[in-house]
Amino acid sequence: MKVRFLLLSVAALVGSNLAHGMEVSGHLTLEGRAFEDGPAYAGQDNRATGAVIFEPELYQSWGNGDLAFEFTPYFREDSADPERDLFDVRELSLLWISGNWETKIGYSKVFWGVAESQHLVDTINQTDLAANPDGEDKLGQPMVQIVYVSDFGDFSFFALPGFRERTFPGRQGRLRASSHVDTSRTRYESLGEDERVDFALRWKHYIGDFDLGLHYFSGTNRDPILIPIERIGGLPRRVIPYYELMDQVGLDVQMTKGAWLWKLEAIARETSRDRYSAMVGGFEYTLYGIMDSVVDLGLLAEVHLDSRGEAAPVVFNRDLFLGGRFAWNDEADTSMVAGLFIDGNNGSSMVRLEFERRIGDSYKLEIELQKLASLDEADVLYPLREDSYLQVSLSRYF
């Protein structure tokens, strides 16, 4: 892995000098993560961990952008957890625009959503959970995407050949449950397993103060069910991922009215064993120039609901998020988002903070803090109770 990482890194950098007319950008990131407490499970590394992340981006367009090629490989090497090492293709696509039609073929990432604390409708790409427990890092997805742009909104059709499995921390890694996720024995409901072709449709439009999005997805659920296959003392010791089929409709809405942003994401999902709905919604109200300064403060409040209630095997089923977004409006683009999550069923709480600031023209500092303040034994996050952490990343952009 290390050799491949180095060879591809050098190849990308050499290519940046040789490629005539090709735009080359990207970043090299050094990441360090330290935990407040010792590990909860045998085999976990007790030291602070580090990772190297390299993500170059190569872009070439022709004909005033009507034809474009994009390649974004992604490399990650972790100091403690081999399961966190990753080579992925985030983007390897060809885009062709003709009149009102846009066609993209290859690996790509698509983002749907408007909420701050959870992206409930963001369905197309698989989660790279080993990268970060917040679930916002995504793997590249093979796709054919056709978009028709009209006065009535953008209509998108997706054909998704090939399924990407979720990544999980390994036995030596932190931020995992007591049971090991054995991805070598992954099971699927579809007879096509990971070669099934999924489909999705999406419409998005802007009407007055409203940004609207509707989607329908039919295919393999990106969220696996973890099935115990080995127990010790009645507790799961080893689990395997099982990916069922699902049909889902979803809605995302954002209304902008002066300093107010009202946001809603909602889904209704049906599988062979369940039918349920879930939503996250709330507002952001911005106070401009607080205390006669140039700093803006956005006040955030969002509610999470799941029709399955406490039985829902997800982090957010009846939760409240309260937070703030600070924007210093300086040359370094300094910003910070901090918030408190409170579980309405059992009172568990968690604090998250994300800070970022550019250093000069080429560097960026990011700090992330996650504090699991008080977790009830019934909470989905309880297995991570010893994993409050501080993460510091320094990126060099080129």
Side-chain angles (χ1 to χ4, degrees), residues 28-221:
L28 174 66
T29 298
L30 301 178
E31 174 190 286
R33 185 182 285 174
F35 293 86
E36 181 180 11
D37 301 304
Y41 311 112
Q44 287 185 307
D45 200 297
N46 192 29
R47 301 166 297 177
T49 62
V52 178
I53 299 165
F54 183 51
E55 189 172 15
E57 301 174 20
L58 290 81
Y59 178 83
Q60 173 74 61
S61 64
W62 301 269
N64 296 320
D66 289 341
L67 184 64
F69 168 79
E70 188 173 354
F71 178 40
T72 307
Y74 175 92
F75 312 91
R76 183 175 63 230
E77 184 87 17
D78 189 84
S79 66
D81 183 6
E83 294 295 320
R84 204 164 176 259
D85 295 346
L86 180 68
F87 166 63
D88 187 39
V89 177
R90 299 304 210 215
E91 192 83 33
L92 178 58
S93 63
L94 191 64
L95 173 67
W96 178 44
I97 300 174
S98 177
N100 293 340
W101 294 89
E102 299 178 6
T103 304
K104 178 182 279 190
I105 299 174
Y107 276 74
S108 190
K109 292 204 299 183
V110 176
F111 174 74
W112 298 344
V114 295
E116 177 66 33
S117 53
Q118 183 186 198
H119 302 305
L120 197 59
V121 301
D122 193 21
T123 306
I124 296 293
N125 294 84
Q126 179 58 274
T127 299
D128 182 8
L129 189 63
N132 196 297
D134 67 5
E136 294 190 4
D137 290 73
K138 299 290 183 177
L139 303 174
Q141 168 67 46
M143 68 175 67
V144 176
Q145 178 185 5
I146 300 174
V147 182
Y148 178 70
V149 180
S150 75
D151 294 337
F152 304 101
D154 297 348
F155 298 84
S156 299
F157 167 77
F158 297 86
L160 308 167
F163 179 77
R164 305 295 311 279
E165 290 188 45
R166 179 167 295 187
T167 63
F168 295 93
R171 292 181 188 276
Q172 296 161 263
R174 302 292 295 267
L175 295 163
R176 69 167 175 85
S178 58
S179 51
H180 170 61
V181 182
D182 185 352
T183 55
S184 68
R185 300 178 61 181
T186 298
R187 297 178 185 174
Y188 299 86
E189 180 178 355
S190 170
L191 296 177
E193 299 189 332
D194 61 350
E195 296 180 357
R196 188 182 191 279
V197 180
D198 300 334
F199 297 96
L201 300 169
R202 177 169 167 82
W203 169 77
K204 69 173 184 178
H205 196 32
Y206 311 98
I207 302 175
D209 297 328
F210 292 88
D211 295 346
L212 301 169
L214 282 171
H215 76 263
Y216 168 72
F217 176 91
S218 179
T220 301
N221 192 344

Side-chain angles (χ1 to χ4, degrees), residues 131-320:
N132 196 297
D134 67 5
E136 294 190 4
D137 290 73
K138 299 290 183 177
L139 303 174
Q141 168 67 46
M143 68 175 67
V144 176
Q145 178 185 5
I146 300 174
V147 182
Y148 178 70
V149 180
S150 75
D151 294 337
F152 304 101
D154 297 348
F155 298 84
S156 299
F157 167 77
F158 297 86
L160 308 167
F163 179 77
R164 305 295 311 279
E165 290 188 45
R166 179 167 295 187
T167 63
F168 295 93
R171 292 181 188 276
Q172 296 161 263
R174 302 292 295 267
L175 295 163
R176 69 167 175 85
S178 58
S179 51
H180 170 61
V181 182
D182 185 352
T183 55
S184 68
R185 300 178 61 181
T186 298
R187 297 178 185 174
Y188 299 86
E189 180 178 355
S190 170
L191 296 177
E193 299 189 332
D194 61 350
E195 296 180 357
R196 188 182 191 279
V197 180
D198 300 334
F199 297 96
L201 300 169
R202 177 169 167 82
W203 169 77
K204 69 173 184 178
H205 196 32
Y206 311 98
I207 302 175
D209 297 328
F210 292 88
D211 295 346
L212 301 169
L214 282 171
H215 76 263
Y216 168 72
F217 176 91
S218 179
T220 301
N221 192 344
R222 271 51 180 160
D223 303 324
I225 300 169
L226 299 178
I227 301 174
I229 58 171
E230 181 182 333
R231 294 178 181 271
I232 295 181
L235 298 175
R237 175 63 179 269
R238 190 154 58 108
V239 298
I240 60 173
Y242 173 71
Y243 294 94
E244 58 187 352
L245 296 174
M246 73 170 193
D247 288 284
Q248 174 178 296
V249 292
L251 165 72
D252 53 272
V253 183
Q254 177 170 294
M255 184 185 78
T256 305
K257 202 73 174 177
W260 290 90
L261 291 177
W262 291 91
K263 305 175 181 182
L264 172 68
E265 296 185 25
I267 61 167
R269 181 178 294 182
E270 182 175 6
T271 68
S272 57
R273 65 181 184 87
D274 208 355
R275 177 186 294 178
Y276 67 94
S277 57
M279 60 81 68
V280 53
F283 68 83
E284 176 172 355
Y285 179 75
T286 301
L287 301 169
Y288 296 99
I290 57 172
M291 301 180 68
D292 295 325
S293 70
V294 297
V295 179
D296 297 336
L297 169 61
L299 302 176
L300 302 161
E302 292 180 351
V303 174
H304 304 253
L305 294 174
D306 190 302
S307 63
R308 297 168 295 178
E310 243 181 315
V314 295
V315 174
F316 303 119
N317 47 38
R318 185 167 174 264
D319 296 71
L320 174 65

